[in-house]
């Protein structure tokens, strides 16, 4: 009996203790809670007021894209934080969205460099969305741009991948065709003169930096164009990249008429001797050789040439197949996605729908044509000297656009002689053109240091 | 620099200067590169010929490459033919 009473007492005491502890805890919680609701209440009251339902609906309707396009908000800023005109906020965006649809069509239906044009065009579509600010500093396109374009990282990585895909064998077996790749760079510098002449004449106001960035389109090398544009004239990047990639896709249309106009039928039928075998050691030494030359002659060009030769060296070493494979496939694909979206962010209406864009498009195609012509003419000049004859059709491959330009040379050559295989011969000037435009880029950068 | 009026009158001349310097550098670089490539090929063929023991393997490799080139050429010929026809 006594035992039971003791147990009861003990359990009552335990209860009492738990209760009191509980009470203390709840009291503490109550004081904390009393602090918190007050803070959150005042916070809420600042931002949110109870409104009638009809007002909520009109408020929501005002925040739709349609209203933002038709009746632009006065406080909306461009991606760079500058005030924009109402045209660039409204109709300009609609026009740019239609332009991106046109780019989709070119990429999908016409097969114009879809790997790059599709990400660029979609980036452009996203960049022209009102209110959302995707291309702005904190939007994801803006972040991608900051991450790898404003610091020229993505073009460099692309160059590594291109290096790993390039075979210098054709160039090594016929070194003098490298001169054709040099001549085609005349497209760059000829256009540079044209661009400054235009701004001299008062049609448009290009600075020397901007003119240089535009003229590099003539190098027909996407990553190099983007590299130079972000360095010298980031405000023109969108137009330059779009011009560069769309003209590269149009190489099979632009080049043949120029090639045919500048050559005689006899010249187009010149057969070239078969290429000699190139040993593995030659291919292995070549990237290092070119890099050493770049270091000695023009260190400004080494970011591009260094990355290019790094990729090629990994490939030719033959012992790092996994890295080579990653460079050629996974890495270049990932970077292409980011590069395209980042460039697309520059297709925002306020940056693209300016008079300069039209001049960039015109100058770009002139640059391409002049480069093609210069390559063909250089081949004809080389044929004046004694030695083995060169088919001038491979001169046009001196503009980089690997391997499209070489394929065009081959195709035009076969129109006149079905047994004339120029593809491998044209790959020599083609890859030399990549080196040539990297050197030209280095010259332009060094001039503005 | 582009703002000054006295510079603006010389902008085209600046462009021409850029052109000569740029093309000069590109050609100088490529000519030196060609000479070095020829020298390199000569040295490699003279002093480091491909090992004799691997000669058969190498030649078959070369032949394979030749074959590949021929295949590429044949394919491109077929494509060209297809496009024309």
């Amino acid at each position: 009996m006594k035992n039971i009473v003791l147990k009861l007492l003990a359990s009552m005491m335990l209860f009492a203790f738990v209760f009191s502890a509980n009470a203390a805890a709840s009291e503490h919680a109550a004081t904390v809670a009393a602090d918190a609701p007050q803070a959150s209440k005042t916070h809420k009251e600042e931002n949110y007021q109870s409104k009638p339902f009809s007002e909520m609906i009109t408020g929501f309707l005002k925040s739709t894209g349609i209203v933002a396009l038709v009746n632009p908000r006065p406080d909306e800023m461009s991606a760079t934080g500058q005030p924009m005109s109402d045209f660039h906020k409204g109709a300009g965006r609609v026009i740019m969205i239609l332009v991106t649809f046109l780019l989709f069509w070119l990429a999908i239906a016409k097969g114009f460099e879809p790997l790059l044009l599709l990400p660029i065009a979609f980036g452009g579509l996203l960049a022209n969305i009102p209110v959302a600010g995707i291309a702005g500093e904190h939007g994801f396109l803006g972040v991608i741009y900051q991450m790898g374009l404003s610091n020229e990282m993505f073009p460099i990585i692309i160059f590594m991948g291109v290096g790993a895909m390039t075979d210098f064998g054709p160039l090594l077996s016929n070194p003098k065709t490298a001169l054709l790749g040099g001549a085609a760079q005349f497209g760059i510098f000829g256009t540079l003169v044209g661009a400054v002449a235009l701004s001299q004449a008062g049609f448009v106001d290009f600075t020397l930096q901007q003119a240089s960035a535009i003229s590099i389109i003539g190098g027909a090398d996407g990553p190099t164009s983007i590299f130079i544009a972000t360095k010298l004239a980031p405000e023109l990047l969108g137009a330059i990249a779009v011009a560069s990639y769309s003209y590269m896709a149009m190489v099979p249309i632009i080049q043949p008429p120029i090639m045919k106009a500048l050559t005689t039928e006899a010249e187009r039928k010149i057969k070239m001797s078969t290429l000699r075998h190139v040993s593995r050691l030659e291919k292995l030494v070549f990237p290092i050789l070119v890099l050493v030359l770049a270091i000695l002659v023009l260190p400004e060009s080494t970011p591009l040439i260094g990355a290019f030769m790094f990729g090629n060296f990994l490939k030719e070493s033959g012992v790092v197949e996994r890295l080579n494979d990653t460079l050629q496939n996974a890495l270049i694909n990932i970077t292409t996605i980011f590069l395209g979206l980042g460039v697309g962010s520059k297709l925002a209406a306020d940056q693209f729908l300016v008079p300069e864009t039209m001049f960039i498009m015109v100058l770009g195609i002139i640059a391409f044509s002049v480069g093609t012509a210069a390559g063909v003419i250089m081949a004809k000049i080389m044929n004046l000297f004694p030695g083995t004859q060169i088919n001038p059709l491979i001169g046009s491959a001196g503009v980089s656009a690997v391997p499209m330009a070489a394929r065009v040379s081959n195709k035009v050559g076969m129109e006149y002689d079905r047994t004339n295989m120029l593809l491998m011969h044209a790959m020599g000037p083609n890859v030399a053109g990549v080196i040539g435009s990297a050197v030209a880029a280095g010259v332009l950068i060094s001039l503005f240091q | 620099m582009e703002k000054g009026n006295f510079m603006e009158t010389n902008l085209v001349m600046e462009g021409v200067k850029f052109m000569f310097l740029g093309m000069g550098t590109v050609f100088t670089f490529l000519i030196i590169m060609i000479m070095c490539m020829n020298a390199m090929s000569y040295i490699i063929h003279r002093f480091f010929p491909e090992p004799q023991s691997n000669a058969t393997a190498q030649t078959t490799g070369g032949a394979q490459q030749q074959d590949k080139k021929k295949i590429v050429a044949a394919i491109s010929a077929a494509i060209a033919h297809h496009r024309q026809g």
Side-chain angles (χ1 to χ4, degrees), chain A residues 128-445:
Chain A
N128 282 294
I129 297 172
V131 185
I134 297 178
E137 200 187 339
H138 301 295
F140 78 89
L141 286 187
V143 172
I144 288 174
Y145 183 82
Q146 292 295 325
M147 184 170 78
L149 271 160
S150 63
N151 52 17
E152 299 118 25
M153 192 67 224
F154 291 154
I156 293 287
I157 297 176
I158 298 268
F159 239 63
M160 290 179 195
V162 173
M165 289 186 201
T166 302
D167 178 13
F168 283 112
L171 180 63
L172 280 162
S173 65
N174 195 359
K176 69 175 178 180
T177 55
L179 287 178
L180 303 173
Q185 308 314 317
F186 187 72
I188 296 178
F189 295 103
T191 311
L192 174 57
V193 176
V196 288
L198 266 184
S199 51
Q200 181 86 347
F203 288 111
V204 65
D205 191 22
F206 284 136
T207 65
L208 219 45
Q209 277 96 329
Q210 287 173 327
S212 306
I214 295 163
S215 60
I216 203 85
I217 297 172
D221 195 321
T224 309
S225 306
I226 292 172
F227 184 83
I228 292 291
T230 41
K231 240 184 163 67
L232 298 181
E235 65 279 5
L236 302 179
L237 175 64
I240 289 174
V242 168
S244 182
Y245 279 109
S246 32
Y247 291 147
M248 260 195 297
M250 277 155 57
V251 157
I253 304 165
I254 299 173
Q255 285 197 326
I258 300 167
M259 292 155 73
K260 287 174 188 171
L262 290 172
T263 50
T264 64
E265 184 137 4
E267 282 173 327
R268 290 190 285 253
K269 283 183 175 169
I270 293 176
K271 285 215 175 184
M272 295 180 68
S273 50
T274 41
L275 297 169
R276 71 168 174 85
H277 173 65
V278 178
S279 75
R280 191 180 153 220
L281 193 58
E282 282 175 88
K283 285 187 181 179
L284 188 59
V285 173
F286 181 74
I288 303 296
L289 176 81
V290 176
L291 184 55
V292 169
L293 287 179
I295 292 167
L296 296 178
V297 178
L298 193 66
E300 296 291 350
S301 69
T302 47
L304 287 168
I305 291 186
F308 190 63
M309 294 309 168
F310 166 67
N312 192 252
F313 191 65
L314 286 192
K315 175 192 173 223
E316 299 298 351
S317 72
V319 291
V320 283
E321 199 40 53
R322 286 175 12 193
L323 303 188
N324 176 31
D325 178 61
T326 302
L327 276 186
Q328 287 193 26
N329 300 296
L331 187 63
I332 201 168
N333 289 345
I334 293 169
T335 314
T336 301
I337 294 172
F338 286 144
L339 182 83
L341 288 175
V343 170
S345 76
K346 293 283 152 186
L347 293 189
D350 59 297
Q351 294 180 55
F352 197 83
L353 282 185
V354 289
E356 283 85 356
T357 301
M358 196 185 72
F359 286 100
I360 291 171
M361 290 289 165
V362 174
L363 286 168
I365 198 161
I366 293 174
F368 243 77
S369 313
V370 171
T372 304
V376 175
I377 292 169
M378 185 70 194
K380 292 178 73 147
I381 293 172
M382 283 167 74
N383 277 346
L384 297 178
F385 292 93
T388 51
Q389 293 281 292
I390 295 172
N391 189 321
L393 292 180
I394 70 167
S396 65
V399 302
S400 317
V402 183
M404 187 90 80
R407 282 194 206 131
V408 170
S409 297
N410 190 51
K411 188 169 167 271
V412 177
M414 286 214 289
E415 280 176 26
Y416 294 91
D417 182 352
R418 291 196 152 247
T419 59
N420 204 359
M421 303 297 168
L422 293 174
L423 185 65
M424 278 300 147
H425 297 284
M427 283 310 284
N430 216 181
V431 295
V434 179
I435 298 175
S437 40
V439 172
V443 174
L444 289 177
I445 293 169

Side-chain angles (χ1 to χ4, degrees), chain A residues 171 175 178 182-183 186 189 192 200 207 276 279-280 282 285-286 293-294 414-415 418 421 423 443 447-448, chain B residues 2 8-9 11 18-19 21-23 25 27 29-30 33-34 37-38 40-41 45 50 72 77 81 84:
Chain A
L171 180 63
F186 187 72
F189 295 103
L192 174 57
Q200 181 86 347
T207 65
R276 71 168 174 85
S279 75
R280 191 180 153 220
E282 282 175 88
V285 173
F286 181 74
L293 287 179
M414 286 214 289
E415 280 176 26
R418 291 196 152 247
M421 303 297 168
L423 185 65
V443 174
L447 284 171
F448 291 109
Chain B
E2 64 279 0
E8 221 160 88
T9 48
L11 212 53
F18 275 34
M19 186 175 82
L21 185 67
M23 287 310 286
T25 314
F27 269 111
F29 186 90
L30 289 176
M33 190 181 88
I34 291 170
M37 278 160 79
N38 285 330
M40 177 191 79
S41 295
H45 281 281
E50 292 187 331
V72 168
H81 180 79
Q84 278 172 359

Side-chain angles (χ1 to χ4, degrees), chain A residues 60-73 89-90 93-94 129-132:
Chain A
F60 173 74
L61 286 179
K62 271 184 195 161
S63 75
T64 57
I66 297 174
V67 174
L69 284 174
V70 174
N71 191 12
R73 299 181 180 189
K89 286 182 196 169
R93 282 179 164 152
V94 177
I129 297 172
V131 185

